[in-house]
Amino acid sequence: LLTQSPATLSLSPGERATLSCRASQSVSSYLAWYLQKPGQAPRLLISDASNRATGISARFSGSGSGTDFTLTISSLEPEDFAVYYCQQRGHWPPTFGGGTKVEIK
Amino acid sequence: EVQLVESGGGLVQPGGSLRLSCAASGFTFNYAWMNWIRQAPGRGLEWVGRIKSKTDGETRDYAAPVRGRFTISRDDSKNTLFLQMNNLEAEDTAVYYCTTYRNSWFDQWGQGTLVTVSS
């Protein structure tokens, strides 16, 4: 089970965002982050806890291992306001967290 | 450029069947492991199932809620992935996405197709 917090994060453009994903049991580093904008499909941001996917801005960074993971957005751009999901593949079947909505304050 | 285009969604009555398709381009489809993931309206993401490549045995795996009712298949000659859904339930109402599976992550996603199960 993956638990994301907070459910909603209200911030202003330019601010730093810190999103948390906690696993009920260790998933090693087998964790990914996805971004989903309204009406669009999710997009892979981070894989293996800390590896940015192709074409993803360096303002996105991931960290953690075991049960506690963090996605950090160093300075929010307007296009970053969306829903973020974490996903694990350390245990079968792959599962997703419930999501964190980053909204404009 | 990788493109995944789902089709086949629509309104179906409980107990009915539907077949979704996903047309793939921009990568070597016959070597790719492919997945279906769904998202109920206003809800999170749920993995539905995957199919491996023929060279890897074309093994299929399914999530517990759909096992025995859904079947994933592929036609490598047409670069197309399928999801046959039988005995549909209201809880199957969702947008269904096909995805690639690169380095064991859901790398590329289609735009999704909406399935609504309702009488």
Short mmCIF file of all heavy atoms in Angstrom, two decimals, chain B residues 63-101:
data_model
loop_
_atom_site.label_atom_id
_atom_site.label_comp_id
_atom_site.label_asym_id
_atom_site.label_seq_id
_atom_site.Cartn_x
_atom_site.Cartn_y
_atom_site.Cartn_z
N ALA B 63 -4.68 -8.14 -12.86
CA ALA B 63 -5.06 -7.74 -11.51
C ALA B 63 -6.21 -8.62 -11.05
O ALA B 63 -7.05 -9.07 -11.86
CB ALA B 63 -5.46 -6.27 -11.51
N ALA B 64 -6.29 -8.83 -9.75
CA ALA B 64 -7.30 -9.73 -9.19
C ALA B 64 -8.73 -9.36 -9.59
O ALA B 64 -9.54 -10.24 -9.91
CB ALA B 64 -7.15 -9.78 -7.67
N PRO B 65 -9.11 -8.06 -9.58
CA PRO B 65 -10.51 -7.71 -9.89
C PRO B 65 -10.96 -8.08 -11.31
O PRO B 65 -12.16 -8.13 -11.57
CB PRO B 65 -10.55 -6.20 -9.67
CG PRO B 65 -9.42 -5.90 -8.76
CD PRO B 65 -8.34 -6.87 -9.15
N VAL B 66 -10.01 -8.28 -12.23
CA VAL B 66 -10.40 -8.52 -13.62
C VAL B 66 -10.03 -9.93 -14.10
O VAL B 66 -10.43 -10.33 -15.19
CB VAL B 66 -9.76 -7.49 -14.58
CG1 VAL B 66 -10.07 -6.07 -14.10
CG2 VAL B 66 -8.26 -7.69 -14.72
N ARG B 67 -9.27 -10.66 -13.27
CA ARG B 67 -8.82 -11.99 -13.69
C ARG B 67 -10.01 -12.89 -13.96
O ARG B 67 -10.96 -12.96 -13.17
CB ARG B 67 -7.93 -12.57 -12.61
CG ARG B 67 -7.07 -13.74 -13.05
CD ARG B 67 -6.13 -14.16 -11.92
NE ARG B 67 -5.19 -13.10 -11.60
CZ ARG B 67 -4.95 -12.68 -10.35
NH1 ARG B 67 -5.58 -13.22 -9.33
NH2 ARG B 67 -4.07 -11.72 -10.13
N GLY B 68 -9.98 -13.56 -15.11
CA GLY B 68 -11.08 -14.44 -15.49
C GLY B 68 -12.15 -13.75 -16.31
O GLY B 68 -12.98 -14.42 -16.94
N ARG B 69 -12.13 -12.42 -16.33
CA ARG B 69 -13.11 -11.67 -17.12
C ARG B 69 -12.46 -10.91 -18.28
O ARG B 69 -13.07 -10.73 -19.32
CB ARG B 69 -13.86 -10.66 -16.24
CG ARG B 69 -14.63 -11.28 -15.09
CD ARG B 69 -15.48 -10.23 -14.38
NE ARG B 69 -14.67 -9.17 -13.77
CZ ARG B 69 -14.80 -7.88 -14.05
NH1 ARG B 69 -15.69 -7.46 -14.93
NH2 ARG B 69 -14.02 -6.98 -13.45
N PHE B 70 -11.21 -10.46 -18.06
CA PHE B 70 -10.49 -9.68 -19.08
C PHE B 70 -9.39 -10.54 -19.70
O PHE B 70 -8.77 -11.36 -19.02
CB PHE B 70 -9.85 -8.44 -18.46
CG PHE B 70 -10.81 -7.35 -18.04
CD1 PHE B 70 -12.18 -7.58 -17.97
CD2 PHE B 70 -10.34 -6.10 -17.71
CE1 PHE B 70 -13.05 -6.58 -17.57
CE2 PHE B 70 -11.19 -5.08 -17.33
CZ PHE B 70 -12.56 -5.33 -17.25
N THR B 71 -9.13 -10.30 -20.98
CA THR B 71 -8.06 -10.99 -21.69
C THR B 71 -7.27 -10.00 -22.53
O THR B 71 -7.85 -9.24 -23.31
CB THR B 71 -8.60 -12.10 -22.61
OG1 THR B 71 -9.36 -13.03 -21.82
CG2 THR B 71 -7.46 -12.83 -23.30
N ILE B 72 -5.96 -10.00 -22.34
CA ILE B 72 -5.08 -9.15 -23.13
C ILE B 72 -4.47 -9.99 -24.26
O ILE B 72 -4.06 -11.14 -24.04
CB ILE B 72 -3.95 -8.56 -22.27
CG1 ILE B 72 -4.54 -7.70 -21.14
CG2 ILE B 72 -3.00 -7.71 -23.12
CD1 ILE B 72 -3.50 -7.19 -20.15
N SER B 73 -4.42 -9.40 -25.44
CA SER B 73 -3.78 -10.08 -26.57
C SER B 73 -3.08 -9.03 -27.42
O SER B 73 -3.21 -7.83 -27.19
CB SER B 73 -4.81 -10.86 -27.41
OG SER B 73 -5.78 -9.96 -27.93
N ARG B 74 -2.33 -9.51 -28.39
CA ARG B 74 -1.59 -8.61 -29.26
C ARG B 74 -1.53 -9.16 -30.67
O ARG B 74 -1.55 -10.38 -30.86
CB ARG B 74 -0.19 -8.37 -28.70
CG ARG B 74 0.67 -9.62 -28.61
CD ARG B 74 1.94 -9.38 -27.78
NE ARG B 74 2.77 -8.33 -28.37
CZ ARG B 74 3.65 -7.63 -27.67
NH1 ARG B 74 3.81 -7.83 -26.37
NH2 ARG B 74 4.39 -6.72 -28.26
N ASP B 75 -1.45 -8.26 -31.64
CA ASP B 75 -1.23 -8.63 -33.03
C ASP B 75 0.00 -7.87 -33.49
O ASP B 75 -0.07 -6.69 -33.84
CB ASP B 75 -2.44 -8.27 -33.88
CG ASP B 75 -2.31 -8.73 -35.32
OD1 ASP B 75 -1.16 -8.97 -35.78
OD2 ASP B 75 -3.33 -8.84 -36.01
N ASP B 76 1.15 -8.54 -33.44
CA ASP B 76 2.40 -7.87 -33.78
C ASP B 76 2.46 -7.47 -35.25
O ASP B 76 3.18 -6.53 -35.61
CB ASP B 76 3.59 -8.76 -33.42
CG ASP B 76 3.77 -8.90 -31.90
OD1 ASP B 76 3.16 -8.12 -31.15
OD2 ASP B 76 4.51 -9.80 -31.48
N SER B 77 1.72 -8.16 -36.10
CA SER B 77 1.73 -7.81 -37.53
C SER B 77 1.04 -6.47 -37.77
O SER B 77 1.30 -5.81 -38.78
CB SER B 77 1.05 -8.91 -38.36
OG SER B 77 -0.35 -8.92 -38.09
N LYS B 78 0.17 -6.07 -36.82
CA LYS B 78 -0.56 -4.81 -36.95
C LYS B 78 -0.17 -3.81 -35.86
O LYS B 78 -0.81 -2.76 -35.72
CB LYS B 78 -2.06 -5.06 -36.90
CG LYS B 78 -2.56 -5.89 -38.07
CD LYS B 78 -4.06 -6.11 -37.99
CE LYS B 78 -4.53 -6.93 -39.20
NZ LYS B 78 -5.98 -7.27 -39.13
N ASN B 79 0.86 -4.14 -35.08
CA ASN B 79 1.30 -3.26 -34.00
C ASN B 79 0.13 -2.82 -33.12
O ASN B 79 -0.02 -1.63 -32.79
CB ASN B 79 2.00 -2.01 -34.56
CG ASN B 79 3.39 -2.32 -35.10
OD1 ASN B 79 3.87 -3.46 -35.02
ND2 ASN B 79 4.03 -1.33 -35.67
N THR B 80 -0.68 -3.78 -32.74
CA THR B 80 -1.89 -3.46 -31.99
C THR B 80 -2.04 -4.34 -30.76
O THR B 80 -1.80 -5.55 -30.81
CB THR B 80 -3.14 -3.59 -32.89
OG1 THR B 80 -2.99 -2.73 -34.02
CG2 THR B 80 -4.39 -3.18 -32.12
N LEU B 81 -2.44 -3.70 -29.68
CA LEU B 81 -2.71 -4.35 -28.40
C LEU B 81 -4.22 -4.36 -28.19
O LEU B 81 -4.91 -3.42 -28.59
CB LEU B 81 -2.03 -3.56 -27.28
CG LEU B 81 -2.24 -4.00 -25.84
CD1 LEU B 81 -1.47 -5.30 -25.57
CD2 LEU B 81 -1.80 -2.90 -24.88
N PHE B 82 -4.72 -5.43 -27.56
CA PHE B 82 -6.16 -5.55 -27.34
C PHE B 82 -6.46 -5.83 -25.87
O PHE B 82 -5.64 -6.40 -25.14
CB PHE B 82 -6.75 -6.68 -28.19
CG PHE B 82 -6.55 -6.51 -29.65
CD1 PHE B 82 -5.54 -7.21 -30.32
CD2 PHE B 82 -7.37 -5.67 -30.38
CE1 PHE B 82 -5.34 -7.05 -31.68
CE2 PHE B 82 -7.18 -5.51 -31.75
CZ PHE B 82 -6.17 -6.20 -32.39
N LEU B 83 -7.65 -5.42 -25.46
CA LEU B 83 -8.17 -5.80 -24.15
C LEU B 83 -9.62 -6.23 -24.35
O LEU B 83 -10.50 -5.41 -24.64
CB LEU B 83 -8.10 -4.63 -23.17
CG LEU B 83 -8.66 -4.93 -21.76
CD1 LEU B 83 -7.81 -6.00 -21.06
CD2 LEU B 83 -8.70 -3.66 -20.90
N GLN B 84 -9.85 -7.54 -24.23
CA GLN B 84 -11.20 -8.08 -24.32
C GLN B 84 -11.79 -8.10 -22.92
O GLN B 84 -11.22 -8.72 -22.01
CB GLN B 84 -11.19 -9.50 -24.90
CG GLN B 84 -12.56 -10.16 -24.95
CD GLN B 84 -13.50 -9.50 -25.92
OE1 GLN B 84 -13.12 -9.16 -27.04
NE2 GLN B 84 -14.76 -9.32 -25.51
N MET B 85 -12.91 -7.41 -22.74
CA MET B 85 -13.53 -7.29 -21.42
C MET B 85 -14.91 -7.94 -21.47
O MET B 85 -15.77 -7.52 -22.25
CB MET B 85 -13.65 -5.82 -21.03
CG MET B 85 -12.33 -5.09 -21.04
SD MET B 85 -12.44 -3.38 -20.45
CE MET B 85 -13.45 -2.68 -21.76
N ASN B 86 -15.09 -8.97 -20.67
CA ASN B 86 -16.36 -9.69 -20.60
C ASN B 86 -16.99 -9.54 -19.22
O ASN B 86 -16.31 -9.19 -18.25
CB ASN B 86 -16.14 -11.18 -20.89
CG ASN B 86 -15.62 -11.42 -22.29
OD1 ASN B 86 -15.89 -10.67 -23.22
ND2 ASN B 86 -14.85 -12.50 -22.44
N ASN B 87 -18.29 -9.83 -19.16
CA ASN B 87 -19.02 -9.78 -17.89
C ASN B 87 -18.73 -8.48 -17.13
O ASN B 87 -18.37 -8.49 -15.95
CB ASN B 87 -18.65 -11.00 -17.04
CG ASN B 87 -19.60 -11.20 -15.87
OD1 ASN B 87 -20.71 -10.68 -15.89
ND2 ASN B 87 -19.15 -11.93 -14.86
N LEU B 88 -18.88 -7.37 -17.82
CA LEU B 88 -18.52 -6.07 -17.25
C LEU B 88 -19.42 -5.69 -16.09
O LEU B 88 -20.63 -5.99 -16.08
CB LEU B 88 -18.54 -5.00 -18.33
CG LEU B 88 -17.31 -5.03 -19.26
CD1 LEU B 88 -17.59 -4.34 -20.58
CD2 LEU B 88 -16.12 -4.41 -18.55
N GLU B 89 -18.81 -5.00 -15.14
CA GLU B 89 -19.49 -4.55 -13.93
C GLU B 89 -19.39 -3.02 -13.85
O GLU B 89 -18.52 -2.41 -14.48
CB GLU B 89 -18.83 -5.17 -12.70
CG GLU B 89 -18.74 -6.68 -12.74
CD GLU B 89 -17.81 -7.24 -11.66
OE1 GLU B 89 -17.12 -6.45 -10.99
OE2 GLU B 89 -17.78 -8.49 -11.52
N ALA B 90 -20.28 -2.43 -13.05
CA ALA B 90 -20.27 -0.96 -12.90
C ALA B 90 -18.89 -0.48 -12.43
O ALA B 90 -18.43 0.60 -12.83
CB ALA B 90 -21.35 -0.53 -11.92
N GLU B 91 -18.23 -1.30 -11.62
CA GLU B 91 -16.92 -0.93 -11.07
C GLU B 91 -15.82 -0.91 -12.14
O GLU B 91 -14.71 -0.47 -11.87
CB GLU B 91 -16.52 -1.89 -9.96
CG GLU B 91 -17.37 -1.82 -8.70
CD GLU B 91 -18.76 -2.41 -8.89
OE1 GLU B 91 -18.93 -3.30 -9.75
OE2 GLU B 91 -19.69 -1.96 -8.18
N ASP B 92 -16.13 -1.39 -13.33
CA ASP B 92 -15.16 -1.36 -14.43
C ASP B 92 -15.21 -0.04 -15.19
O ASP B 92 -14.40 0.18 -16.10
CB ASP B 92 -15.40 -2.52 -15.41
CG ASP B 92 -15.22 -3.88 -14.77
OD1 ASP B 92 -14.24 -4.05 -14.00
OD2 ASP B 92 -16.04 -4.78 -15.03
N THR B 93 -16.14 0.82 -14.84
CA THR B 93 -16.24 2.13 -15.48
C THR B 93 -14.96 2.92 -15.21
O THR B 93 -14.60 3.14 -14.06
CB THR B 93 -17.46 2.91 -14.96
OG1 THR B 93 -18.65 2.23 -15.36
CG2 THR B 93 -17.47 4.33 -15.49
N ALA B 94 -14.30 3.33 -16.29
CA ALA B 94 -13.00 4.00 -16.14
C ALA B 94 -12.48 4.43 -17.51
O ALA B 94 -12.99 3.99 -18.54
CB ALA B 94 -11.98 3.06 -15.50
N VAL B 95 -11.48 5.28 -17.49
CA VAL B 95 -10.67 5.51 -18.67
C VAL B 95 -9.59 4.44 -18.69
O VAL B 95 -8.92 4.22 -17.67
CB VAL B 95 -10.03 6.91 -18.66
CG1 VAL B 95 -9.06 7.08 -19.83
CG2 VAL B 95 -11.11 7.98 -18.70
N TYR B 96 -9.44 3.79 -19.82
CA TYR B 96 -8.45 2.72 -19.96
C TYR B 96 -7.29 3.23 -20.81
O TYR B 96 -7.50 3.70 -21.93
CB TYR B 96 -9.08 1.49 -20.60
CG TYR B 96 -9.96 0.73 -19.63
CD1 TYR B 96 -11.20 1.22 -19.25
CD2 TYR B 96 -9.52 -0.46 -19.05
CE1 TYR B 96 -12.00 0.55 -18.34
CE2 TYR B 96 -10.31 -1.15 -18.14
CZ TYR B 96 -11.55 -0.62 -17.79
OH TYR B 96 -12.33 -1.30 -16.87
N TYR B 97 -6.09 3.11 -20.25
CA TYR B 97 -4.87 3.53 -20.93
C TYR B 97 -4.03 2.32 -21.29
O TYR B 97 -3.89 1.39 -20.48
CB TYR B 97 -4.01 4.41 -20.03
CG TYR B 97 -4.62 5.72 -19.57
CD1 TYR B 97 -5.17 5.83 -18.30
CD2 TYR B 97 -4.61 6.84 -20.39
CE1 TYR B 97 -5.72 7.04 -17.87
CE2 TYR B 97 -5.14 8.05 -19.96
CZ TYR B 97 -5.70 8.14 -18.70
OH TYR B 97 -6.23 9.33 -18.27
N CYS B 98 -3.44 2.34 -22.49
CA CYS B 98 -2.38 1.36 -22.76
C CYS B 98 -1.05 2.06 -22.55
O CYS B 98 -0.92 3.28 -22.76
CB CYS B 98 -2.49 0.76 -24.16
SG CYS B 98 -2.13 1.87 -25.53
N THR B 99 -0.08 1.31 -22.10
CA THR B 99 1.23 1.88 -21.82
C THR B 99 2.33 0.93 -22.27
O THR B 99 2.15 -0.29 -22.31
CB THR B 99 1.45 2.16 -20.32
OG1 THR B 99 1.85 0.97 -19.64
CG2 THR B 99 0.20 2.72 -19.66
N THR B 100 3.47 1.51 -22.60
CA THR B 100 4.66 0.70 -22.80
C THR B 100 5.24 0.37 -21.43
O THR B 100 4.81 0.90 -20.40
CB THR B 100 5.70 1.45 -23.64
OG1 THR B 100 6.02 2.68 -22.98
CG2 THR B 100 5.16 1.76 -25.04
N TYR B 101 6.23 -0.47 -21.43
CA TYR B 101 6.83 -0.96 -20.18
C TYR B 101 8.33 -1.00 -20.42
O TYR B 101 8.88 -2.01 -20.85
CB TYR B 101 6.29 -2.35 -19.90
CG TYR B 101 6.44 -2.86 -18.50
CD1 TYR B 101 5.93 -2.16 -17.41
CD2 TYR B 101 7.05 -4.09 -18.25
CE1 TYR B 101 6.04 -2.65 -16.12
CE2 TYR B 101 7.16 -4.58 -16.97
CZ TYR B 101 6.65 -3.87 -15.91
OH TYR B 101 6.75 -4.38 -14.64
#
